[in-house]
Amino acid sequence: NAHGAHWTHFLNTLSIFFPAGERFFIQSIRNYRDQISDAELKKAVAAFIGQEAFHTREHEEYNEAMAKAGLGTEKMEKTVEDLLANVQRVLPKPLQLAVTVALEHLTAMMAELVLVDDYFFASSEPHYHALWQWHAMEETEHKGVAFDVYEKVIGKGPKAYAMRTGVFVAANLIFWALVSRYYWNVVKADKLHRDRKGWGKALRLLFGRGGMVPRMTGEWLDFFRPGFHPWDKNNSYHLQRA
């Protein structure tokens, strides 16, 4: 990647979360599949489950490659698996679905950045770039499914709103805390943790002008609108690439 190894490792760090995360998403939707009578939503749920299963498989291979490269990602991936297993064991099913809604919105925001231009993947290896683009396209295609299931089975009233927004804040805090920690671990495993120039480039890509965080802030805040829906921002034109 033209942005350097630090930025590549940030993207690598995100992949650590996908296999366990997507298995969790699938199960949280399956918990309510029998309560969905709408034919179109049933069809969308089936497509969602199929796509997430494919993403899981591809990112398992991706993560295996990182482990073979000596980046120590096996323990981090196991921690994510254990965390989400505990969430499934402890939290009621409505809260599990709210977690999926929250993280699907986060994923959809990042997918938009991947698809809108090639800025974050400048001069990346073509197959690597294609994997992220494919994943981003499918995340965009089904970005409203979990939300639609949530509104169908949990509702749209004040309690449903309070739960989805409260869980969104909590999920973001936990997710980004883990991403930060694991990003450091991966960079350190590659013996790049003392490379100040590399850190500077990565931090500019994250927080600088035109960086990931500033570009996602508006959509992040949109989630708190009472009438919010993921397709309020219609970026379906990306899907015409397929």
Side-chain angles (χ1 to χ4, degrees):
N1 188 304
H3 297 304
H6 279 68
W7 182 247
T8 299
H9 281 323
F10 175 75
L11 299 172
N12 291 341
T13 300
L14 295 179
S15 181
I16 293 170
F17 294 84
F18 284 128
E22 284 163 339
R23 285 192 292 269
F24 177 90
F25 297 164
I26 289 170
Q27 187 55 50
S28 73
I29 296 285
R30 277 182 173 155
N31 289 337
Y32 290 99
R33 192 156 56 173
D34 293 342
Q35 296 183 34
I36 299 167
S37 56
D38 181 87
E40 285 301 310
L41 186 53
K42 272 189 169 182
K43 184 178 176 182
V45 164
F48 174 94
I49 290 171
Q51 287 178 327
E52 294 291 51
F54 274 116
H55 300 167
T56 299
R57 187 179 69 185
E58 292 299 322
H59 281 276
E60 282 174 341
E61 292 181 6
Y62 185 143
N63 294 353
E64 284 171 10
M66 286 196 285
K68 288 178 182 176
L71 296 178
T73 52
E74 309 98 305
K75 289 182 180 178
M76 291 177 263
E77 197 170 0
K78 180 66 165 57
T79 301
V80 175
E81 289 173 4
D82 290 345
L83 172 64
L84 290 175
N86 285 330
V87 168
Q88 285 180 319
R89 185 165 54 251
V90 173
L91 291 188
K93 289 177 182 178
L95 281 173
Q96 293 179 38
L97 182 59
V99 170
T100 294
V101 169
L103 294 177
E104 278 288 294
H105 182 57
L106 191 57
T107 305
M109 289 191 294
M110 290 190 280
E112 168 71 5
L113 295 183
V114 173
L115 294 171
V116 75
D117 60 42
D118 292 327
Y119 175 64
F120 295 106
F121 286 87
S123 302
S124 291
E125 193 277 329
H127 290 90
Y128 177 81
H129 191 180
L131 169 65
W132 283 101
Q133 284 198 315
W134 163 75
H135 190 160
M137 198 174 298
E138 293 205 340
E139 288 296 335
T140 299
E141 186 175 7
H142 69 232
K143 71 177 184 176
V145 175
F147 195 95
D148 288 341
V149 172
Y150 183 86
E151 289 199 330
K152 197 78 172 178
V153 299
I154 307 299
K156 303 181 183 182
K159 287 184 179 179
Y161 171 80
M163 184 165 71
R164 76 166 174 84
T165 53
V167 168
F168 185 64
V169 171
N172 271 268
L173 289 172
I174 294 167
F175 176 73
W176 290 114
L178 285 173
V179 168
S180 301
R181 176 181 163 193
Y182 291 174
Y183 182 25
W184 167 263
N185 290 346
V186 171
V187 170
K188 189 174 182 181
D190 204 19
K191 298 179 171 59
L192 296 170
H193 55 296
R194 302 192 200 288
D195 177 9
R196 293 182 181 180
K197 188 175 180 181
W199 282 119
K201 282 184 179 180
L203 289 171
R204 282 194 296 274
L205 285 163
L206 282 169
F207 302 107
R209 186 176 180 181
M212 179 177 283
V213 172
R215 289 172 69 174
M216 291 196 307
T217 300
E219 280 188 81
W220 192 90
L221 291 171
D222 275 348
F223 193 84
F224 294 92
R225 283 191 296 103
F228 168 82
H229 189 278
W231 282 109
D232 289 341
K233 179 172 183 177
N234 188 347
N235 58 349
S236 58
Y237 64 91
H238 291 308
L239 307 179
Q240 295 170 9
R241 301 185 194 183

